[in-house]
Amino acid sequence: MFETMLGDLRAAISPVVLAEVAAALYGVAASEVKVDALVIPSKDQPLRFLFAAMQQLVAEDAAVLTRQCLSRAIAARLLRAQPAMAGAPKPVSARSFSAKTTLSPQQMDKVQKHIAANLVHGVGMKEMAAHIGMNAAKFTFRLKATTGTTLHQLVIAARVEKARALLSDKTLNIDVIATACGFTHASHFSEVFRKYFTMSPATYRARVATIGVPAAALGSTWLQPAVDSQELARAMAEFSLQQTTLRIDDKVRLVASSQGLGWNDMFVAITDELPHDTLHRVLSDTWLTLALTPVDMQRSGADFEYKQFLPEGSINITGSGEAVYDNMPTAQQVADVYLRREVLEQTADELGVGGSERSTERRTIGSRFCVNDAVLQPLLMAISLIVQEPRGSHPIKGDYLAQTLAARLLERHSVLEPARALLREPVFSTQEIGLLVDYINEHLASSLSIVTLAGLVGLGRTQFIGRFKATAGVTPHQFIIARRICKAKALLSSKTVEHKAIAAHCGFASHTHFITGFKKAVGVTPWEYCRRNA
């Protein structure tokens, strides 16, 4: 059976792809890499899972971009096991790549000038590739090999750098700067700026900006930022734990992660989890979870609630802009994969389904519970095993895997929706969320004051309500009611508390108030709920 896999695997990887990846990772000439001479390790479990995903894609006879991305990931995995590669130097920076797979200085100059001239309207991958005179797939690969980052990240970095300069002119309104730099709205500008400088544009202006920039800079004369946008994009590239919704504490232990691998398009974490519940805040990125052990799980959001036993290998997808509350009554091991919004947008552009930056519709990933996908499952298994290996992985391998995930999600799990602004308000950190949720859960039986909750995080009442809704997708009152109803359900199911006493245990003002609130939230009375779940 394994010999059959060897033949199929060699057939699945074209010499062109293999040579392309070998040149990018090791600077090896195409003539030195032979598909027929590949040594395929028999005990490489991640490779087996990647090949299983490829077999399914071939069987589907579709998903061309997913297959292209996956073939590069497999080629990168294969090359690391070749004896001929053992002594080949691994490049420490993008500048170490083979000249045959990079853009020339003249081409990079055209890229930078075209970005600068089109900051307001944006630059699509196909448009830029045509401007340089090559197809989109080749341009994407060569740009990555040259700069260590993507076109989208270069555009964003250039916009941020121009905005940074314009913030020095205190006569310019933040909204005006956002528009002049090509951001869709001021809140989008603030969100992106925070990622680069860990502070809002207003705070940056007050604390850092000291050199005046004339209003004339709003024109099209800006070409070269004070700080190299490539360096800025690379410096801010790695996707870190702090950018996710994971709360690592005594109940959630981090086993392994992609931190330190230089992966800028996704973050991966393997966690051992004891029974707990937690709120995962709104993100602009897409979050996937793979159950590495069976999971008994309850998940609720602003307008849904799921409760199900998930077998090993089950997948949950949480789309951007959604907050979820998870209750885990049993111990489990989970792989969490966070995929950057930017890689999805870039991949959508390559697929021709992304639309322009100012389009009224966008291709978005829909949230799914207990997904059965014969490509995603082995792909996520391979990724979870790779991050647990000894360090030494090259960053570009993570990019190949992220692009494969993005392509699969867009081709199978996306919907076309009206474009919406994400994170209009600042959101709470993971630590602040943990503090608030713990306090609410511990004090459900008492009267929870918004002022008291706001004081826990040092905010006023109005500011707290806005930030809480931006974080959780619901108001503090709605969240507290949902937690009280959830506790009431648990008490009704356990039959350890008399029905008339449940109202007091859950913080309802009276038994009548409890019945009314329960029926409004669940659709049936507490007694009917007991009968249905007996």
Side-chain angles (χ1 to χ4, degrees):
M1 182 177 179
F2 183 69
E3 289 302 321
T4 301
M5 173 185 163
L6 299 187
D8 291 345
L9 195 51
R10 290 192 182 100
I13 307 300
S14 74
V16 174
V17 169
L18 196 68
E20 180 183 272
V21 175
L25 288 178
Y26 299 98
V28 175
S31 59
E32 297 179 34
V33 182
K34 304 295 183 183
V35 176
D36 292 341
L38 283 178
V39 176
I40 301 181
S42 61
K43 296 182 180 180
D44 190 324
Q45 287 302 315
L47 184 60
R48 286 177 176 268
F49 281 117
L50 292 175
F51 181 63
M54 179 63 82
Q55 284 183 308
Q56 180 61 32
L57 286 172
V58 171
E60 291 177 3
D61 193 26
V64 175
L65 183 60
T66 307
R67 288 171 64 178
Q68 289 175 347
C69 295
L70 182 56
S71 67
R72 292 191 180 104
I74 292 174
R77 186 73 188 177
L78 279 171
L79 285 166
R80 70 193 291 272
Q82 305 311 306
M85 300 295 109
K90 292 186 179 180
V92 294
S93 71
R95 305 189 196 286
S96 301
F97 283 50
S98 169
K100 293 184 178 180
T101 61
T102 59
L103 297 173
S104 69
Q106 294 77 16
Q107 289 173 323
M108 274 307 305
D109 184 59
K110 290 181 69 174
V111 168
Q112 291 173 331
K113 289 183 176 179
H114 197 64
I115 288 174
N118 294 277
L119 278 185
V120 174
H121 301 293
V123 184
M125 183 63 68
K126 291 182 179 179
E127 175 194 337
M128 182 64 85
H131 181 68
I132 299 301
M134 61 181 66
N135 64 51
K138 182 182 290 186
F139 172 74
T140 300
F141 180 83
R142 292 195 176 186
L143 181 68
K144 187 78 173 183
T146 306
T147 66
T149 188
T150 65
L151 176 63
H152 184 84
Q153 289 164 342
L154 284 179
V155 172
I156 292 298
R159 285 174 172 165
V160 169
E161 179 53 31
K162 183 180 182 182
R164 188 180 70 85
L166 293 178
L167 283 168
S168 300
D169 185 349
K170 296 185 179 180
T171 66
L172 297 177
N173 184 279
I174 297 293
D175 289 338
V176 173
I177 293 175
T179 302
C181 296
F183 293 100
T184 53
H185 45 74
S187 57
H188 178 218
F189 169 42
S190 295
E191 172 198 340
V192 173
F193 196 90
R194 281 175 181 273
K195 286 185 178 180
Y196 279 80
F197 295 106
T198 66
M199 65 182 76
S200 69
T203 302
Y204 180 90
R205 166 177 274 173
R207 295 182 182 178
V208 181
T210 58
I211 303 174
V213 175
L218 285 171
S220 59
T221 58
W222 178 87
L223 289 178
Q224 209 50 286
V227 178
D228 187 347
S229 61
Q230 294 177 34
E231 296 299 331
L232 183 59
R234 280 197 295 272
M236 300 301 297
E238 186 172 22
F239 204 152
S240 65
L241 174 64
Q242 290 70 32
Q243 295 172 287
T244 73
T245 64
L246 290 179
R247 181 187 179 190
I248 305 301
D249 54 20
D250 57 340
K251 294 182 180 178
V252 180
R253 183 177 69 88
L254 188 64
V255 176
S257 79
S258 58
Q259 192 99 3
L261 291 177
W263 290 7
N264 59 355
D265 290 334
M266 67 176 172
F267 178 82
V268 183
I270 312 300
T271 55
D272 279 335
E273 304 181 5
L274 297 174
H276 71 287
D277 54 356
T278 187
L279 171 66
H280 293 275
R281 69 179 185 273
V282 169
L283 280 180
S284 58
D285 306 309
T286 298
W287 171 37
L288 301 94
T289 58
L290 173 70
L292 299 177
T293 58
V295 176
D296 192 10
M297 179 179 182
Q298 181 175 339
R299 167 169 288 189
S300 57
D303 55 1
F304 68 87
E305 182 175 327
Y306 302 115
K307 185 176 182 181
Q308 189 171 338
F309 176 81
L310 306 180
E312 180 180 339
S314 298
I315 301 168
N316 290 332
I317 303 173
T318 305
S320 63
E322 291 197 31
V324 295
Y325 191 93
D326 287 343
N327 177 265
M328 308 292 194
T330 57
Q332 61 189 344
Q333 187 175 76
V334 177
D336 295 282
V337 178
Y338 292 83
L339 194 63
R340 269 201 208 280
R341 180 178 64 182
E342 288 82 1
V343 73
L344 284 163
E345 291 174 349
Q346 177 192 346
T347 306
D349 190 23
E350 291 186 48
L351 284 168
V353 297
S356 68
E357 288 196 20
R358 295 185 178 274
S359 174
T360 57
E361 291 188 323
R362 292 286 174 86
R363 179 68 58 175
T364 61
I365 306 304
S367 293
R368 303 284 188 272
F369 191 73
C370 197
V371 172
N372 182 19
D373 187 313
V375 173
L376 276 183
Q377 198 271 343
L379 183 57
L380 290 173
M381 278 299 303
I383 291 170
S384 69
L385 290 172
I386 288 171
V387 298
Q388 296 179 73
E389 293 177 335
R391 293 311 194 200
S393 171
H394 188 272
I396 201 168
K397 185 170 61 183
D399 297 341
Y400 290 146
L401 294 168
Q403 290 160 11
T404 307
L405 276 178
R408 182 62 178 182
L409 288 170
L410 286 163
E411 289 173 330
R412 284 301 177 98
H413 302 284
S414 68
V415 293
L416 194 62
E417 291 185 337
R420 58 181 177 179
L422 297 174
L423 305 179
R424 292 183 178 274
E425 300 279 346
V427 297
F428 289 122
S429 67
T430 302
Q431 292 73 24
E432 290 171 326
I433 291 170
L435 176 66
L436 291 168
V437 170
D438 288 347
Y439 185 88
I440 289 171
N441 286 337
E442 290 170 9
H443 296 83
L444 280 178
S446 61
S447 178
L448 285 163
S449 164
I450 298 298
V451 173
T452 300
L453 293 173
L456 292 175
V457 289
L459 296 176
R461 184 179 186 278
T462 301
Q463 190 178 12
F464 172 78
I465 292 173
R467 189 168 299 187
F468 192 97
K469 186 167 184 179
T471 301
V474 294
T475 66
H477 177 73
Q478 290 170 324
F479 182 79
I480 291 168
I481 292 298
R483 300 312 311 139
R484 285 175 169 156
I485 294 296
C486 185
K487 183 176 181 180
K489 286 180 178 178
L491 292 175
L492 288 167
S493 299
S494 67
K495 300 179 181 180
T496 56
V497 179
E498 292 185 4
H499 284 193
K500 290 185 179 181
I502 289 178
H505 277 76
C506 298
F508 290 96
S510 65
H511 186 58
T512 302
H513 183 214
F514 165 54
I515 294 174
T516 302
F518 192 95
K519 186 172 182 179
K520 182 179 180 181
V522 183
V524 295
T525 65
W527 293 274
E528 180 63 25
Y529 178 82
C530 285
R531 283 195 293 270
R532 291 185 180 184
N533 293 275

